[in-house]
Amino acid sequence: MNNTRRAVLATAVLGAFTGVFASPSALAAKPLTIGFSQVGAESEWRTANTLSIKDAAKKEGVNLKFADAQQRQENQVKAIRSFIAQRVDVIAFSPVVESGWETVLREAKDAKIPVILTDRTVNVTDQSLYAAFIGSDFVEEGRRAGRWLLERAAKTPDRTFNIVELQGTVGSAPAIDRKNGFAEVIAANPKLKITRSQTGDFTRAKGKEVMEAFLKAQGKSINVLYAHNDDMAIGAIQAIEEAGLKPGVDILVISIDGVKGAFQAMIAGKMNVTVECSPLLGPQLMSIARDVVAGKPVPKRITTVEGVFPAEVAAKELPNRKY
């Protein structure tokens, strides 16, 4: 073989290998990048939610840019604008409050970056500003809490129940909806009366502080505590005990979330029921994000399937809890 033929053959072989290595099918796909802004770390539920998202991203090979808003909307807006500047593939966030998102979400839309809401919704006039919402039906959670109390009250039809309510963060979707759902259902029984309602900001410490104020104002006339999340309820239980009363007996304790701490409180006889709100949204978020980027149609609202757990089933259910 002469030198000319060798050169031609070498060029052809090199070209073939270059073609193989440059082929899109042979190259590893570019990893999906998601910018996620979390509300904060105010509760056991939120900690489990963050862990679910981080674990799912790692398992799926997703490049996750995570920002903790520390329960401040201005921090979330700043984080979203940072994600836009970084040209992430998808922006996802759990909004601190419902309102005040139009401007920054329009900026994301103009940048052609899809937005997915997790856990909490936003109140916007243009629904095209976000691609999908993944989470719970907060109104239904409030209704479920109310139905449990209706059934309990039906056993003593002549008794009046004075209810104190620990609301979540003012202006947040779960606080608004859980309040409305509960009030809607208990309206069927005029003997169920909400006598005081105040925010505990979804935290254990604030739940204890506000419950102390309720007890100081009303004392033994309180029959029921309805808390918008388990952490506030657990804080309130401490206040009830410190006041010399028995939570779960002297004051019925109804809560929402279904964290392990609530099941432990029920087993100890200090809480009566918790309505489930699953924080394990990570795998769903990764799946929906991939579909959105691929241009596949996705449901506007994806609601998680959840249950109601009264104290009677707590011991049996606790080993099954993942958060």
Side-chain angles (χ1 to χ4, degrees):
M1 185 183 293
N2 62 34
N3 290 339
T4 303
R5 290 186 64 192
R6 284 195 184 97
V8 170
L9 182 58
T11 302
V13 170
L14 179 61
F17 275 106
T18 303
V20 167
F21 289 120
S23 169
S25 61
L27 288 169
K30 177 191 171 187
L32 182 71
T33 298
I34 298 177
F36 184 82
S37 176
Q38 181 61 283
V39 172
E42 76 282 1
S43 63
E44 282 186 59
W45 191 99
R46 190 63 57 190
T47 301
N49 181 239
T50 293
L51 186 61
S52 174
I53 290 164
K54 287 183 175 180
D55 284 353
K58 186 176 180 181
K59 184 178 179 181
E60 295 288 328
V62 170
N63 178 25
L64 182 71
K65 295 181 181 293
F66 185 88
D68 183 338
Q70 299 179 325
Q71 293 187 289
R72 296 174 62 185
Q73 184 178 28
E74 58 266 35
N75 290 344
Q76 284 198 308
V77 171
K78 184 178 178 181
I80 292 168
R81 287 190 169 130
S82 173
F83 296 150
I84 294 169
Q86 293 175 67
R87 301 296 306 170
V88 301
D89 298 309
V90 176
I91 291 170
F93 74 111
S94 180
V96 175
V97 294
E98 282 192 337
S99 59
W101 299 105
E102 297 266 359
T103 301
V104 72
L105 292 187
R106 194 161 298 283
E107 290 170 21
K109 185 178 180 180
D110 290 344
K112 295 182 170 52
I113 300 174
V115 173
I116 299 172
L117 306 176
T118 68
D119 170 43
R120 300 180 179 186
T121 57
V122 294
N123 185 5
V124 291
T125 54
D126 181 358
Q127 298 299 306
S128 72
L129 293 178
Y130 66 93
F133 162 77
I134 305 168
S136 303
D137 185 335
F138 299 133
V139 175
E140 183 57 27
E141 288 171 354
R143 289 181 185 133
R144 288 171 178 171
R147 288 186 197 115
W148 182 90
L149 183 57
L150 270 184
E151 290 174 11
R152 180 66 177 252
K155 297 174 182 177
T156 52
D158 296 327
R159 183 183 174 190
T160 295
F161 289 81
N162 293 321
I163 307 162
V164 293
E165 179 180 34
L166 282 170
Q167 296 182 44
T169 303
V170 174
S172 69
I176 294 166
D177 293 348
R178 288 171 183 171
K179 179 176 181 62
N180 291 340
F182 185 78
E184 172 194 314
V185 169
I186 67 167
N189 184 345
K191 290 187 177 292
L192 301 178
K193 300 176 180 179
I194 297 176
T195 56
R196 290 182 184 270
S197 183
Q198 187 176 324
T199 180
D201 218 17
F202 284 130
T203 69
R204 194 170 298 196
K206 195 67 186 286
K208 182 175 187 288
E209 178 188 319
V210 176
M211 190 66 200
E212 285 171 346
F214 287 162
L215 287 162
K216 188 175 181 180
Q218 288 189 238
K220 294 182 179 180
S221 69
I222 299 172
N223 308 116
V224 180
L225 164 65
Y226 168 47
H228 288 188
N229 83 335
D230 290 335
D231 275 76
M232 290 190 295
I234 291 167
I237 284 169
Q238 289 180 273
I240 294 167
E241 289 181 313
E242 288 172 9
L245 299 170
K246 291 183 178 180
V249 180
D250 296 324
I251 298 176
L252 300 178
V253 180
I254 303 168
S255 186
I256 297 176
D257 270 0
V259 301
K260 285 181 179 179
F263 283 81
Q264 290 160 348
M266 287 191 288
I267 291 168
K270 298 177 181 181
M271 187 183 290
N272 302 89
V273 64
T274 185
V275 177
E276 186 178 32
C277 178
S278 177
L280 308 179
L281 305 179
Q284 280 182 298
L285 173 59
M286 301 307 141
S287 175
I288 295 300
R290 289 193 187 281
D291 286 348
V292 167
V293 170
K296 296 179 181 178
V298 298
K300 193 71 173 179
R301 185 181 183 95
I302 301 146
T303 304
T304 48
V305 178
E306 296 154 341
V308 178
F309 298 94
E312 294 79 13
V313 303
K316 182 180 178 181
E317 180 62 25
L318 178 59
N320 302 325
R321 307 309 293 172
K322 295 180 180 179
Y323 54 93

